[in-house]
Amino acid sequence: ISICNYDLANSDEFNFDIRDGKVSTLSAEALVGKVMDQHNTFDEPDNLSKVDFTDYNLVDEQTLSVSVPPMSVVSLYVDLV
C-alpha cells in the first residue's frame, strides 16, 4: 500500500479494513520532505532517502490504522495469511 500526503502542514489519518485474510507481517518505509518540492539531484543525491516508518497500528489482524506525515510518501508492506 502506498500513500502520498501533499499537505504542507497536516498529517492524514487512514484506516484499512483487510477483508481477504489476516495480517501476518507488516513493515513500512517513508520518504518525508522538510520543504515543499524537496528532491534529490546529482549534486545532492541524499536530500531525500528512505527511512523506517512506524506511525501505524495494527488494531487487530484485519484493521490497520496509519498516520501519514505532511509532505511524504509512505509504503506499507503487508503479508496476509
Side-chain angles (χ1 to χ4, degrees):
I1 303 168
S2 293
I3 308 164
C4 299
N5 184 357
Y6 297 110
D7 195 299
L8 299 178
N10 300 303
S11 294
D12 211 350
E13 304 294 325
F14 293 90
N15 291 307
F16 296 95
D17 183 12
I18 313 294
R19 296 182 183 198
D20 292 333
K22 294 181 180 179
V23 175
S24 62
T25 60
L26 175 62
S27 63
E29 60 189 10
L31 290 173
V32 181
K34 294 178 182 167
V35 296
M36 182 61 174
D37 295 331
Q38 185 175 3
H39 59 280
N40 293 340
T41 65
F42 289 112
D43 293 329
E44 296 178 12
D46 297 318
N47 281 333
L48 286 175
S49 59
K50 292 180 188 177
V51 295
D52 288 336
F53 181 78
T54 59
D55 204 358
Y56 59 85
N57 182 29
L58 192 56
V59 179
D60 55 42
E61 293 175 324
Q62 292 181 300
T63 306
L64 175 61
S65 176
V66 183
S67 179
V68 181
M71 296 182 287
S72 68
V73 177
V74 172
S75 294
L76 299 149
Y77 304 96
V78 182
D79 290 321
L80 302 177
V81 290

